[in-house]
Structures are given as structure tokens and as C-alpha cells.
Amino acid sequence: MNINQVSDSVYVVAGTNVNWALVSDGSGVTVIDAGYPRDTAAVLASVRQIGHAVSDIAAVLLTHAHLDHVGAIPTLVEQVGMPVYTGAEEVRHAKREYLQQITPVQMIRQLVTYHGARWVTQTLRAVVGHIGTSVPSATVGEGSALAALPGGFVALPTPGHTDGHTAYFMPSEGVLFSGDALVTGHPLLRETGPQLLPKVFNHNESSTLASARSLAIEQAGILVPGHGLPAHQDLPSLVAALRPR
């Protein structure tokens, strides 16, 4: 676990090949995404390391319901009972009414390269015993509820990676939490920098690209991706470099 403070209120935490974020207003914390199931202890520890008790968590904002983003949520709900907000369509995904996620066959195909085999091994360790993780309490993040949370957020529908994927913008500090709509690195990517995840992870590739391009928010100067390092640069410049594959 590595914690990187990227603005006055925002901390980005790197876990098992995935990021989550903590936003503190001094009295409470908003958690954005929650790592893999095996990252649960690290998620709890990260809240404490920024000076809060776990009970200070006001809500979890979920960009999408893949296993590497929902991992600690069941424990947080059990210990704190806070709301879990996500996009309207992603509520159904979080409750596992359906599943849009890399398949076992697609994972096996990654074993042909060193980096792919290493990623598969790390991933299996991070999810073992928790393949069926869901978020039954997930609910739609309405505008007024998100604005009232520590940090204050605006939801940005970004379908493609999953049908209900949602990014979040924090206007007060110009921070964009892009989830997996736009990343800056991943073990299966050859290069770092703003880009899409490999096609195997995206439910709809063309929609993923369109959603990433929609994130060219002039007021945003800090990108917090679901994978890779945060980027301090205006979003229009970052997004302008995106090209179809």
C-alpha cells in the first residue's frame, strides 16, 4: 500500500495493481472505490493513516462493480453501515443481477506472456475466496447526496468499461476520479500515460473511448485513475492525446 496526497483533501492509495481514493474534510471521509477483496485490510489501514477512524467514512463512491473496485465494501458496510453510491445502471451490476467482467477463458489467454502470467497470479491471490462478492446495498448517487459528502462530487456517466461506469468530479479542488474510463498504467499495458485499458477489460470499446474523451473538463487539473499514477495536468490536454486502437 502506498498513499500519495495529490491535493489538500485527496489521498490516492495504490493497492494490488489498483487504486482507491480517500477525500477528507477534517470530520469525515469519502472513499472512492475499494480495491480487491484481499486489499480490505489495507483500505481500513489507509483511512487510519490519514488520521481518521473507519467510523468517519460518510460514503463509498463506486465507479463500477468489478472485483478490483468493490473488494473492501462488504466489510465497510458491515462495520460502518454507510451508503454505497454508484451509477443508475451500475446498481444492477453491483447487486450481480448480471456480470460484465473478464472471463476465466480470457484470463487464461493472458498466461502466454510474462507480464500477463504475473498479473493473473496476483489477481487470483487478490480474489481467492471472494469471487462472488457483491454490493446488495448499492444505490444511485443522486446529485444532492454527492454534493453534500466530504469533498463534494458531481457524477459523470462514462459507460463502456461497464454499462453503468461512473466517474466523479470534485470541483472544489479540480480533481477527476476516472475509475477505469481513463487510466495511466496497468500491468498489461506496455506504456504509461493517459489511455484506455486493454480491450479485454472493456465491455464496449467504442463507448469506452467516447466516455474517456467526454472527460475533457477544463476545470480539472488532477486526474486520479483506477490504475496507474495520478496526473497533474489539465484534462483537455490529456484527453486530446487519446486515439482509437
Side-chain angles (χ1 to χ4, degrees):
M1 180 183 69
N2 179 57
I3 301 178
N4 179 13
Q5 185 172 1
V6 298
S7 70
D8 288 344
S9 304
V10 179
Y11 301 81
V12 182
V13 191
T16 307
N17 296 324
V18 69
N19 301 327
W20 60 90
L22 309 172
V23 181
S24 169
D25 68 356
S27 60
V29 180
T30 302
V31 178
I32 299 97
D33 289 336
Y36 278 104
R38 292 288 177 169
D39 286 324
T40 295
V43 172
L44 300 179
S46 67
V47 173
R48 298 185 185 103
Q49 286 191 31
I50 68 166
H52 282 277
V54 174
S55 58
D56 291 337
I57 298 174
V60 175
L61 302 186
L62 181 63
T63 61
H64 64 294
H66 283 165
L67 282 174
D68 56 337
H69 293 258
V70 303
I73 291 178
T75 297
L76 293 176
V77 170
E78 180 181 358
Q79 292 192 10
V80 183
M82 75 288 136
V84 179
Y85 296 127
T86 191
E89 179 57 32
E90 201 66 12
V91 167
R92 296 177 57 231
H93 191 204
K95 293 181 178 181
R96 293 301 184 248
E97 295 179 16
Y98 63 88
L99 183 62
Q100 294 177 338
Q101 190 158 275
I102 188 171
T103 67
V105 171
Q106 289 172 323
M107 288 192 73
I108 290 171
R109 290 174 181 162
Q110 309 310 312
L111 294 173
V112 298
T113 68
Y114 168 77
H115 291 292
R118 186 175 183 220
W119 173 79
V120 169
T121 300
Q122 292 171 335
T123 300
L124 292 177
R125 288 174 178 167
V127 302
V128 64
H130 300 275
I131 297 295
T133 298
S134 63
V135 188
S137 64
T139 188
V140 179
E142 302 291 353
S144 57
L146 299 185
L149 292 174
F153 301 88
V154 177
L156 305 173
T158 42
H161 181 67
T162 65
D163 285 348
H165 190 288
T166 302
Y168 298 95
F169 179 50
M170 181 178 161
S172 62
E173 295 180 16
V175 183
L176 175 69
F177 304 87
S178 61
D180 287 1
L182 179 64
V183 303
T184 62
H186 187 274
L188 298 187
L189 291 170
R190 295 181 179 180
E191 301 177 352
T192 59
Q195 59 192 298
L196 304 186
L197 281 171
K199 290 183 180 181
V200 69
F201 295 116
N202 299 324
H203 182 67
N204 185 311
E205 180 77 0
S206 61
S207 293
T208 304
L209 178 59
S211 288
R213 287 174 168 168
S214 75
L215 295 175
I217 302 170
E218 291 186 4
Q219 300 93 336
I222 301 173
L223 172 67
V224 176
H227 302 271
L229 295 173
H232 293 257
Q233 187 177 341
D234 66 283
L235 266 292
S237 296
L238 291 177
V239 173
L242 292 174
R243 295 290 182 271
R245 288 182 288 214

